[in-house]
Amino acid sequence: MSAQMAHLLGTSSFVPSAPALRRSPGLHVPGRHRSRGATRIQAKIREIFMPALSSTMTEGKIVSWMKSEGDKLSKGESVVVVESDKADMDVETFYDGYLAAIMVEEGGVAPVGSAIALLAESEAEIDEAKSKASANCSSSSSSSPPPPPPPSASPVAEPEKTAVNVAPVATPVAAAVASTHPASEGGKRVVASPYAKKLAKELKVDLGRVVGSGPMGRIVAKDVEAAASTAAADVAPIRIPAAAPAPSGIELGAVVPFTTMQAAVSRNMLESLAVPTFRVGYTITTDALDALYKKIKSKGVTMTALLAKATALALVKHPVVNSSCRDGKSFTYNSSINIAVAVAIDGGLITPVLQDADKVDIYSLSRKWKELVDKARAKQLQPHEYNTGTFTLSNLGMFGVDRFDAILPPGTGAIMAVGASQPTVVASKDGRIGMKNQMQVNVTADHRVIYGADLASFLQTLAKIIEDPKDLTF
């Protein structure tokens, strides 16, 4: 838990609950408890504020509001979906009441700890809450929602701050998924965010004909924009393009702001530049590993799991390569070998972690890896599943890349870039010429704690394990 989150918890009568699946918003991790001090608070208007959903999160983006102003809320009910630098989370209220004022509209960004909405205890306090929200919005502006909504503000403070429950929710990635949860059925109430409704009026879009892609089929702004674009395309004259079109979804010449995840990656990369690093390459013959993979692939074993397992076993013998330096004054021999593996996802990348990879059998490790990848692409990873790595693998071999260098993630000692295994003509020690499959690996390491001899010795051990992989299946 970050220091910033600890500060928030220390100054609020509420605490975030354990993350839970959206379909079970009241689910909590055993051993974690909600604060009960709220019963002594007499405040009638409370802030719903932006929670810290990860240790690196400094701000969050509002994906969609699941409730509209004036809606009655029940304790534990999901109110808004927030995008952090790593995942999308539901934000749930800890109190019964009414959503009196939305202070940060969909698409808006707010710092961790700042108010994004006001919760009134009763209908009588709604007008008072709206007045407070208006006053706060005029005093400062800390979010940047897209037009037409006006900028929202971080309040200066009268209402009591209420923390919230947070739960991961998969980001819809296909219309096929959204179509299973239409926002309107048989003339029933259309479920849409306030901004989506406003946008629909401006663009003259019939919400009853729009399929929502938001949580539980809720119509969000991008659904309205897509519907408007489709309608415009239906009446637009057919034109023959003068040149080859740009890739789908890309507008050439456009300036595109970073997503929350891209901004986090940017900060991490800048932090990495402050670390003195060096690189060591090594060629490893993979014939035996390829044969083993072919033999056990049908049992669900992945090449990523095999590489992670081999790396973990090598790190057991070279703990300094698994160490880390965070303060520039000391380093830590990590007690666990947790292999983080870079995964490309829409809008950025993330590093799911195979914890205790040296101790877990290859079959369990493969199942765990598949589970982590699915969660990563659905933006459902929990913090301990992506921020506990002690050594990182980055594999571009599946794209045919033969060699590359990787940037060291902050807080770790080394990262290994793995290239493709390719047939190579080689000469044996007795002068004979033969064909072998070989791959190039390049390790980037923190030179404050890891030296050239350390990496050379580690890579020799890794090569022996890969070239004689019998220990990987035990």
Side-chain angles (χ1 to χ4, degrees), residues 89-131:
M89 296 280 189
D90 277 6
V91 173
E92 304 171 354
T93 176
F94 255 10
Y95 285 94
D96 295 335
Y98 294 83
L99 182 58
I102 292 175
M103 303 176 70
V104 182
E105 292 287 354
E106 290 179 0
V109 176
V112 167
S114 66
I116 57 176
L118 294 182
L119 181 71
E121 188 175 59
S122 65
E123 287 185 280
E125 280 80 41
I126 291 180
D127 289 340
E128 181 184 351
K130 287 181 177 292
S131 298

Side-chain angles (χ1 to χ4, degrees), residues 284-334:
I284 301 177
T285 299
T286 63
D287 289 328
L289 183 68
D290 294 338
L292 176 63
Y293 175 59
K294 184 177 180 180
K295 180 180 178 181
I296 60 179
K297 180 181 178 181
S298 61
K299 298 180 181 180
V301 175
T302 66
M303 180 57 76
T304 296
L306 283 170
L307 290 172
K309 182 71 173 180
T311 301
L313 292 180
L315 289 172
V316 170
K317 299 180 179 180
H318 302 277
V320 70
V321 183
N322 191 52
S323 65
S324 57
C325 174
R326 292 180 172 84
D327 58 5
K329 300 177 182 178
S330 63
F331 67 97
T332 302
Y333 286 109
N334 291 302

